[in-house]
Amino acid sequence: IDFFLNKALWTNIGIENSVPIRIKNLLDIHSIFNEKHAEFFLEGRTLDSIFNNNKLLKNEHADDIGIFKEDYQLLMNSIIPEIQTIAFQIIRKSADMISILRDNLYIDICIFKKRKNNKIEYRNKLYKEEFYLKSDHIFLKEKGSMFQITLKNI
């Protein structure tokens, strides 16, 4: 499903109507990662909106999470098969990202690599390792739903 066609679909439906579905999608992903004793961290605008506003932005139709390359095999061998049982589909796969879709909403799973000199790499950009190795938590509160997400990059 093309990203821009998907955005047009949600613009037509009313992008604000995506929020309850996005929350459900993140809750379900969070639950499976917990069940598999794996961690993910929020990334991009998803992190920004929850961290700064304590809720998801209403004008988005995709969410971003990240994992480290060391957890890639766990993701592919254990987590992805489990999320496929609850109607998520893999719609795009590259060396640095796997995009999944359910109910016409994306979650991009970004694959980060640890590099020398205390750097973290994603898509040929280097970031300070200290931002990704802290372990902290944030609570997502939206229309009666609340769950704790481990953040490793605030």
Side-chain angles (χ1 to χ4, degrees), residues 45-140:
R45 289 177 55 112
T46 305
L47 171 63
D48 184 52
S49 66
I50 291 175
F51 185 72
N52 289 316
N53 304 309
N54 203 29
K55 62 183 178 180
L56 294 171
L57 292 175
K58 293 183 180 183
N59 62 347
E60 287 289 321
H61 64 107
D63 290 299
D64 302 307
I65 65 174
I67 67 164
F68 286 111
K69 180 79 173 170
E70 297 84 56
D71 296 325
Y72 183 79
Q73 290 305 317
L74 177 63
L75 175 71
M76 296 308 297
N77 296 334
S78 186
I79 295 170
I80 292 291
E82 186 75 21
I83 65 175
Q84 288 176 314
T85 68
I86 57 171
F88 279 98
Q89 304 168 40
I90 296 176
I91 57 165
R92 186 175 33 239
K93 185 178 170 188
S94 68
D96 56 11
M97 182 191 304
I98 298 169
S99 296
I100 57 176
L101 180 82
R102 183 171 74 173
D103 296 325
N104 291 312
L105 290 163
Y106 289 90
I107 295 178
D108 291 327
I109 305 170
C110 306
I111 315 299
F112 288 74
K113 300 173 191 168
K114 295 178 183 176
R115 295 291 186 210
K116 294 178 183 177
N117 300 322
N118 300 318
K119 299 289 182 187
I120 301 295
E121 178 185 350
Y122 178 67
R123 290 197 165 170
N124 299 319
K125 294 179 186 171
L126 294 176
Y127 304 94
K128 292 180 181 180
E129 183 180 57
E130 64 193 65
F131 297 128
Y132 290 85
L133 298 182
K134 286 182 172 180
S135 186
D136 205 351
H137 297 89
I138 197 166
F139 291 88
L140 171 62

Side-chain angles (χ1 to χ4, degrees), residues 22-40:
R22 290 169 54 214
I23 292 167
K24 171 92 171 100
N25 286 349
L26 285 170
L27 282 167
D28 288 347
I29 292 296
H30 181 258
S31 177
I32 290 169
F33 269 77
N34 275 347
E35 179 184 303
K36 301 296 181 181
H37 305 288
E39 288 188 347
F40 71 90

